[in-house]
Amino acid sequence: MASFVGRTVKLILLLLFLTTTCDAKTYVGITNDLGGGMNLTFHCKSADDELGVKVLPPQQYYEFSFKPTLIGRTDFYCSFQ
Ligand SMILES: *[C@@H]1O[C@H](CO)[C@@H](O)[C@H](O)[C@H]1NC(C)=O
């Protein structure tokens, strides 16, 4: 945790492809491109899904998917450290 404290962290976050097709799921991919050997800690959730806190090592990729509601929209909230 000390690596997060007292340091200016340059965040270069790549949120990759948010793709939707009619019938299918929406996929969200996250790549840790922070550099400097830093882990990316993130926490994503929507009203329906709680993905929990994840730690992504350098250059690693994480993907999750959800089924959008037919009417309206699905909001996902993510925080990154
Ligand atoms: C990144 O996370 C891994 C696994 O949780 C941990 O072993 C490692 O020490 C962490 N690296 C840094 C730079 O915080």
Side-chain angles (χ1 to χ4, degrees), residues 35-73:
M38 287 187 290
N39 289 333
L40 172 65
T41 304
F42 66 96
H43 184 191
C44 292
K45 63 182 173 184
S46 71
D48 298 326
D49 291 305
E50 166 60 72
L51 299 182
V53 176
K54 307 276 187 192
V55 177
L56 202 56
Q59 302 305 321
Q60 293 300 296
Y61 176 77
Y62 178 82
E63 185 178 272
F64 64 92
S65 62
F66 58 91
K67 275 210 144 161
T69 53
L70 293 178
I71 303 167
R73 62 184 199 183

